[in-house]
Amino acid sequence: MFKECDETGNKEVLPSIRMKAVVYGDKTLMTESLLKAGGFLPAHDHIHEQTGYMVSGKMRFRIGEETFEVSPSDSWNIPGGVPHSADILDDSVAVEVFCSRRDEYIG
């Protein structure tokens, strides 16, 4: 499956956080997130494994008991069921893959 670039489809999931499904298959979903400086992703967890890559910007990311300032070209992996949160320090762009697919982000 190929998917051409589409500038539409960004949905606000939280104040300061917009996300769109870039492409998906039977088991995975890739998203692009646009994050505004000063925003906050509250602590949460889900069953999906989540792997990410920071394209631009900076965030202070907490995964379980670990905290890390994520900068461009840094990446992360969050096992399912592990609490995580983030402070958005600069306007940022992140790409993430979820497994299993998160259908609530499609459409």
Side-chain angles (χ1 to χ4, degrees), residues 1-16:
M1 171 200 249
F2 293 96
K3 181 123 188 300
E4 291 183 349
C5 178
D6 182 354
E7 297 300 322
T8 65
N10 283 305
K11 298 177 183 175
E12 184 175 74
V13 293
L14 290 169
S16 302

Side-chain angles (χ1 to χ4, degrees), residues 6-88:
D6 182 354
E7 297 300 322
T8 65
N10 283 305
K11 298 177 183 175
E12 184 175 74
V13 293
L14 290 169
S16 302
I17 301 175
R18 298 187 65 78
M19 178 188 287
K20 74 174 177 178
V22 178
V23 68
Y24 57 90
D26 291 336
K27 298 178 183 174
T28 61
L29 165 73
M30 180 182 286
T31 63
E32 177 187 64
S33 295
L34 307 176
L35 308 127
K36 292 289 182 193
F40 177 68
L41 177 65
H44 68 286
D45 65 88
H46 41 75
I47 63 169
H48 311 85
E49 182 176 35
Q50 180 176 344
T51 300
Y53 176 82
M54 181 63 84
V55 176
S56 63
K58 184 179 265 190
M59 295 190 309
R60 182 176 307 109
F61 217 138
R62 285 170 295 288
I63 301 172
E65 299 299 317
E66 293 183 80
T67 300
F68 186 77
E69 284 200 7
V70 181
S71 297
S73 297
D74 290 341
S75 55
W76 55 90
N77 177 266
I78 307 166
V82 174
H84 52 285
S85 63
D87 297 303
I88 305 165

